[in-house]
Amino acid sequence: MGGVLDPLARTALWTASMRAREHARADRLFEEPLAGLLATEEGPLIMSGFEGDVQGGVQDPALAVRTRYFDDAIRRADTIRGLRQFVFVAAGMDTRAYRLGWSEGSSLFELDRPALLDLKSGLLAQVGAQSGCSVQPVGVDLTGGWTTALAAAGFISSAPTFWLVEGLLYFLTVDERDTLIKEMTALSAPGSWLLADYVTQTSLDSDAMRAWRVKMAVSGHPWQSGCDDPAAMLGGHGWATTVAGYGSPEADFGRWAAAELAPGVSGTRGRYLITATLSGGSASAV
Ligand SMILES: C[S@@+](CC[C@H](N)C(=O)[O-])C[C@H]1O[C@@H](n2cnc3c(N)ncnc32)[C@H](O)[C@@H]1O
């Protein structure tokens, strides 16, 4: 079913599969009942291929931790800060539109490859999934000009926006990443938020990451960039930035410490979660 997708789009089946597995745990960090459907039959195969080849069978907790971290930030943006416009950049098979509570008047734009979004819409229609907000899929190439399509879909640039860039930045070159940040910033009213996950360049270049990077490259979706100073990367565009390393008190959820001890996932070190705001907001209150 994922056969129409390019290799990079297929990574969304992989992350959906990891969320389905998390959903099945008694101590799950979030509920994602639609993830198994959206993973298709291919997602579990990709997931087990990576865990078997690169991680010695050890499960990487990063996906569960980052999902919960971003869920909590979205809830706070909605209920505490009153944001009503959300853009998920490289949304993939994300189902937050269907599983989180949303305030009345909330709009969510999901940006991703057209083929991936078509597959997702078809699968969701099969089960009659109902979103709690106005959700608008916007098929684009994020490295090839996407802002016009977002505007045409009803995005309001004068309203503060919550940007979620989850599971994308490391797939971009430095130039593509910086262009994307520039484009998001140009569309961001004061009070906007930007959340993302990323990795240090130092970690990316380390021996511990070698097997992971080789496997990602031969699978057709190489990790191409990292950043050792995300505050400077975003600060240059006016964003006030805080960074939570996985395993820090706010990004652990009881999952990280054990994983750090497992040799198979040593390559997950150096990964972190970014929270940034444009003046008018407050990163510390996220
Ligand atoms: C690892 S998945 C992450 C999906 C989702 N955010 C998640 O966390 O499950 C990466 C996603 O980035 C999307 N993507 C990568 N490069 C893209 C591009 N140039 N244009 C549009 N989407 C892109 C892929 O299609 C895929 O859905």
Side-chain angles (χ1 to χ4, degrees), residues 169 177-178 181 194 196-201 226-245 270-277:
L169 292 180
R177 174 200 77 196
D178 289 344
I181 293 170
L194 195 167
D197 63 310
Y198 210 14
V199 62
T200 62
Q201 187 64 48
C227 179
D228 285 355
D229 190 351
M233 174 183 80
L234 285 161
H237 297 272
W239 296 87
T241 305
T242 58
V243 177
R271 294 177 66 180
Y272 55 81
L273 301 163
I274 297 170
T275 300
T277 54

Short mmCIF file of all heavy atoms in Angstrom, two decimals, residues 169 177-178 181 194 196-201 226-245 270-277:
data_model
loop_
_atom_site.label_atom_id
_atom_site.label_comp_id
_atom_site.label_asym_id
_atom_site.label_seq_id
_atom_site.Cartn_x
_atom_site.Cartn_y
_atom_site.Cartn_z
N LEU A 169 14.04 17.68 10.22
CA LEU A 169 15.21 18.54 9.96
C LEU A 169 16.45 17.77 9.53
O LEU A 169 17.19 18.20 8.64
CB LEU A 169 15.53 19.40 11.19
CG LEU A 169 14.50 20.48 11.52
CD1 LEU A 169 14.93 21.26 12.76
CD2 LEU A 169 14.28 21.43 10.35
N ARG A 177 17.36 23.38 5.25
CA ARG A 177 16.87 23.66 6.60
C ARG A 177 16.77 25.16 6.84
O ARG A 177 15.77 25.66 7.33
CB ARG A 177 17.85 23.02 7.61
CG ARG A 177 17.56 23.36 9.04
CD ARG A 177 18.78 23.12 9.90
NE ARG A 177 19.77 24.17 9.75
CZ ARG A 177 21.03 24.09 10.14
NH1 ARG A 177 21.49 22.99 10.68
NH2 ARG A 177 21.86 25.12 9.99
N ASP A 178 17.84 25.87 6.49
CA ASP A 178 17.84 27.31 6.75
C ASP A 178 16.79 28.03 5.92
O ASP A 178 16.16 28.99 6.38
CB ASP A 178 19.24 27.89 6.50
CG ASP A 178 20.23 27.44 7.57
OD1 ASP A 178 19.78 26.95 8.64
OD2 ASP A 178 21.45 27.57 7.34
N ILE A 181 13.44 27.44 7.64
CA ILE A 181 13.28 28.30 8.83
C ILE A 181 12.96 29.73 8.40
O ILE A 181 12.08 30.39 8.97
CB ILE A 181 14.56 28.26 9.69
CG1 ILE A 181 14.76 26.86 10.30
CG2 ILE A 181 14.51 29.32 10.79
CD1 ILE A 181 16.09 26.64 10.97
N LEU A 194 7.58 27.61 17.58
CA LEU A 194 8.17 26.64 16.65
C LEU A 194 8.77 25.50 17.47
O LEU A 194 9.66 25.74 18.30
CB LEU A 194 9.25 27.33 15.81
CG LEU A 194 9.76 26.61 14.55
CD1 LEU A 194 10.57 27.61 13.70
CD2 LEU A 194 10.61 25.40 14.85
N ALA A 196 10.50 21.55 17.32
CA ALA A 196 11.18 20.65 16.39
C ALA A 196 12.05 19.68 17.17
O ALA A 196 12.39 19.93 18.33
CB ALA A 196 12.03 21.45 15.40
N ASP A 197 12.42 18.60 16.52
CA ASP A 197 13.45 17.71 17.07
C ASP A 197 14.63 17.72 16.10
O ASP A 197 14.46 17.91 14.89
CB ASP A 197 12.92 16.29 17.27
CG ASP A 197 12.50 15.62 15.97
OD1 ASP A 197 11.75 16.23 15.19
OD2 ASP A 197 12.95 14.47 15.72
N TYR A 198 15.81 17.51 16.66
CA TYR A 198 17.01 17.60 15.83
C TYR A 198 18.14 16.86 16.53
O TYR A 198 17.93 16.20 17.56
CB TYR A 198 17.36 19.07 15.62
CG TYR A 198 18.06 19.40 14.30
CD1 TYR A 198 18.11 18.51 13.24
CD2 TYR A 198 18.66 20.64 14.13
CE1 TYR A 198 18.74 18.84 12.05
CE2 TYR A 198 19.30 20.99 12.93
CZ TYR A 198 19.33 20.08 11.90
OH TYR A 198 19.96 20.40 10.72
N VAL A 199 19.32 16.97 15.96
CA VAL A 199 20.46 16.22 16.47
C VAL A 199 21.71 17.10 16.36
O VAL A 199 21.79 17.95 15.46
CB VAL A 199 20.63 14.91 15.66
CG1 VAL A 199 20.92 15.20 14.19
CG2 VAL A 199 21.67 13.99 16.24
N THR A 200 22.68 16.91 17.24
CA THR A 200 23.91 17.69 17.11
C THR A 200 24.73 17.17 15.92
O THR A 200 24.72 15.97 15.62
CB THR A 200 24.78 17.61 18.37
OG1 THR A 200 25.17 16.25 18.58
CG2 THR A 200 24.05 18.14 19.60
N GLN A 201 25.43 18.08 15.27
CA GLN A 201 26.31 17.66 14.17
C GLN A 201 27.43 16.79 14.73
O GLN A 201 27.87 15.83 14.07
CB GLN A 201 26.87 18.91 13.47
CG GLN A 201 27.66 18.59 12.21
CD GLN A 201 26.79 17.97 11.10
OE1 GLN A 201 25.71 18.47 10.81
NE2 GLN A 201 27.25 16.88 10.49
N GLY A 226 22.87 18.23 11.02
CA GLY A 226 22.59 18.40 12.44
C GLY A 226 22.99 19.81 12.82
O GLY A 226 23.41 20.60 11.96
N CYS A 227 22.89 20.13 14.10
CA CYS A 227 23.29 21.47 14.54
C CYS A 227 23.70 21.41 16.00
O CYS A 227 22.94 20.92 16.84
CB CYS A 227 22.13 22.44 14.35
SG CYS A 227 22.51 24.12 14.89
N ASP A 228 24.89 21.93 16.28
CA ASP A 228 25.38 21.94 17.66
C ASP A 228 24.86 23.13 18.46
O ASP A 228 24.98 23.15 19.68
CB ASP A 228 26.92 21.95 17.68
CG ASP A 228 27.48 20.57 17.33
OD1 ASP A 228 26.69 19.62 17.16
OD2 ASP A 228 28.72 20.46 17.21
N ASP A 229 24.31 24.13 17.78
CA ASP A 229 23.87 25.35 18.49
C ASP A 229 22.50 25.80 17.95
O ASP A 229 22.41 26.79 17.22
CB ASP A 229 24.91 26.46 18.30
CG ASP A 229 24.64 27.64 19.21
OD1 ASP A 229 23.58 27.69 19.86
OD2 ASP A 229 25.51 28.54 19.26
N PRO A 230 21.45 25.08 18.33
CA PRO A 230 20.12 25.42 17.79
C PRO A 230 19.64 26.80 18.20
O PRO A 230 18.87 27.43 17.46
CB PRO A 230 19.22 24.31 18.34
CG PRO A 230 19.97 23.71 19.48
CD PRO A 230 21.42 23.88 19.19
N ALA A 231 20.08 27.28 19.38
CA ALA A 231 19.65 28.62 19.80
C ALA A 231 20.18 29.67 18.83
O ALA A 231 19.48 30.63 18.46
CB ALA A 231 20.12 28.90 21.22
N ALA A 232 21.41 29.49 18.37
CA ALA A 232 21.97 30.43 17.38
C ALA A 232 21.30 30.24 16.03
O ALA A 232 21.01 31.22 15.32
CB ALA A 232 23.47 30.21 17.27
N MET A 233 21.05 29.00 15.65
CA MET A 233 20.41 28.71 14.36
C MET A 233 19.08 29.45 14.24
O MET A 233 18.78 30.07 13.22
CB MET A 233 20.19 27.19 14.25
CG MET A 233 19.42 26.73 13.03
SD MET A 233 19.15 24.93 13.05
CE MET A 233 17.76 24.78 14.18
N LEU A 234 18.28 29.41 15.31
CA LEU A 234 16.97 30.06 15.26
C LEU A 234 17.04 31.51 15.71
O LEU A 234 16.26 32.35 15.24
CB LEU A 234 15.98 29.28 16.14
CG LEU A 234 15.52 27.97 15.51
CD1 LEU A 234 14.95 27.03 16.55
CD2 LEU A 234 14.51 28.22 14.40
N GLY A 235 17.98 31.79 16.60
CA GLY A 235 18.12 33.17 17.10
C GLY A 235 18.42 34.13 15.98
O GLY A 235 17.98 35.29 16.00
N GLY A 236 19.14 33.68 14.97
CA GLY A 236 19.45 34.52 13.83
C GLY A 236 18.21 34.96 13.07
O GLY A 236 18.23 35.92 12.31
N HIS A 237 17.12 34.24 13.29
CA HIS A 237 15.84 34.59 12.64
C HIS A 237 14.87 35.23 13.64
O HIS A 237 13.70 35.43 13.33
CB HIS A 237 15.20 33.33 12.05
CG HIS A 237 16.01 32.69 10.96
ND1 HIS A 237 15.90 33.05 9.64
CD2 HIS A 237 16.98 31.75 11.02
CE1 HIS A 237 16.75 32.32 8.91
NE2 HIS A 237 17.42 31.53 9.73
N GLY A 238 15.37 35.52 14.85
CA GLY A 238 14.54 36.23 15.83
C GLY A 238 13.80 35.37 16.83
O GLY A 238 13.03 35.88 17.64
N TRP A 239 14.06 34.07 16.81
CA TRP A 239 13.35 33.17 17.73
C TRP A 239 14.13 33.03 19.04
O TRP A 239 15.34 32.79 19.03
CB TRP A 239 13.20 31.78 17.12
CG TRP A 239 12.36 31.72 15.88
CD1 TRP A 239 12.78 31.92 14.59
CD2 TRP A 239 10.96 31.45 15.80
NE1 TRP A 239 11.72 31.78 13.72
CE2 TRP A 239 10.58 31.49 14.43
CE3 TRP A 239 9.98 31.16 16.75
CZ2 TRP A 239 9.27 31.27 14.00
CZ3 TRP A 239 8.67 30.93 16.31
CH2 TRP A 239 8.34 30.99 14.97
N ALA A 240 13.44 33.15 20.17
CA ALA A 240 14.02 32.84 21.48
C ALA A 240 13.85 31.34 21.70
O ALA A 240 12.73 30.83 21.60
CB ALA A 240 13.30 33.61 22.57
N THR A 241 14.94 30.67 21.99
CA THR A 241 14.94 29.20 21.90
C THR A 241 15.37 28.55 23.20
O THR A 241 16.35 28.97 23.81
CB THR A 241 15.91 28.78 20.78
OG1 THR A 241 15.51 29.43 19.57
CG2 THR A 241 15.90 27.28 20.56
N THR A 242 14.66 27.51 23.59
CA THR A 242 15.13 26.64 24.66
C THR A 242 15.27 25.23 24.08
O THR A 242 14.55 24.86 23.14
CB THR A 242 14.15 26.60 25.86
OG1 THR A 242 12.88 26.17 25.41
CG2 THR A 242 14.02 27.96 26.51
N VAL A 243 16.19 24.48 24.66
CA VAL A 243 16.48 23.14 24.13
C VAL A 243 16.44 22.14 25.28
O VAL A 243 17.00 22.37 26.34
CB VAL A 243 17.88 23.11 23.47
CG1 VAL A 243 18.22 21.71 22.99
CG2 VAL A 243 17.94 24.10 22.31
N ALA A 244 15.75 21.03 25.05
CA ALA A 244 15.70 19.95 26.04
C ALA A 244 16.35 18.72 25.42
O ALA A 244 15.86 18.20 24.41
CB ALA A 244 14.25 19.64 26.42
N GLY A 245 17.47 18.29 25.99
CA GLY A 245 18.07 17.05 25.52
C GLY A 245 17.20 15.87 25.97
O GLY A 245 16.59 15.93 27.04
N GLY A 270 22.80 12.90 21.73
CA GLY A 270 22.99 14.11 20.94
C GLY A 270 21.70 14.57 20.29
O GLY A 270 21.69 15.56 19.56
N ARG A 271 20.61 13.89 20.55
CA ARG A 271 19.34 14.33 19.97
C ARG A 271 18.60 15.20 20.98
O ARG A 271 18.71 15.02 22.19
CB ARG A 271 18.50 13.12 19.55
CG ARG A 271 19.18 12.36 18.42
CD ARG A 271 18.44 11.11 18.03
NE ARG A 271 17.15 11.42 17.46
CZ ARG A 271 16.30 10.47 17.03
NH1 ARG A 271 16.62 9.20 17.12
NH2 ARG A 271 15.15 10.80 16.52
N TYR A 272 17.84 16.14 20.48
CA TYR A 272 17.20 17.11 21.39
C TYR A 272 15.91 17.65 20.80
O TYR A 272 15.60 17.47 19.61
CB TYR A 272 18.17 18.26 21.70
CG TYR A 272 18.73 18.97 20.49
CD1 TYR A 272 18.00 19.95 19.82
CD2 TYR A 272 20.01 18.65 20.00
CE1 TYR A 272 18.52 20.60 18.70
CE2 TYR A 272 20.54 19.30 18.89
CZ TYR A 272 19.79 20.27 18.25
OH TYR A 272 20.30 20.91 17.15
N LEU A 273 15.17 18.34 21.66
CA LEU A 273 13.86 18.92 21.32
C LEU A 273 13.94 20.43 21.48
O LEU A 273 14.44 20.92 22.50
CB LEU A 273 12.79 18.32 22.24
CG LEU A 273 12.70 16.79 22.13
CD1 LEU A 273 11.95 16.18 23.31
CD2 LEU A 273 12.03 16.40 20.83
N ILE A 274 13.44 21.13 20.50
CA ILE A 274 13.54 22.59 20.45
C ILE A 274 12.17 23.21 20.70
O ILE A 274 11.17 22.77 20.14
CB ILE A 274 13.99 23.05 19.04
CG1 ILE A 274 15.39 22.53 18.71
CG2 ILE A 274 13.90 24.57 18.90
CD1 ILE A 274 15.77 22.75 17.24
N THR A 275 12.17 24.24 21.53
CA THR A 275 10.97 25.07 21.69
C THR A 275 11.39 26.51 21.48
O THR A 275 12.28 27.00 22.17
CB THR A 275 10.38 24.92 23.11
OG1 THR A 275 10.03 23.55 23.31
CG2 THR A 275 9.14 25.79 23.28
N ALA A 276 10.78 27.19 20.52
CA ALA A 276 11.18 28.57 20.21
C ALA A 276 9.94 29.44 20.07
O ALA A 276 8.88 28.96 19.65
CB ALA A 276 12.00 28.59 18.93
N THR A 277 10.08 30.69 20.44
CA THR A 277 8.97 31.62 20.29
C THR A 277 9.47 32.91 19.66
O THR A 277 10.62 33.31 19.86
CB THR A 277 8.32 31.97 21.65
OG1 THR A 277 9.33 32.44 22.53
CG2 THR A 277 7.65 30.77 22.26
#
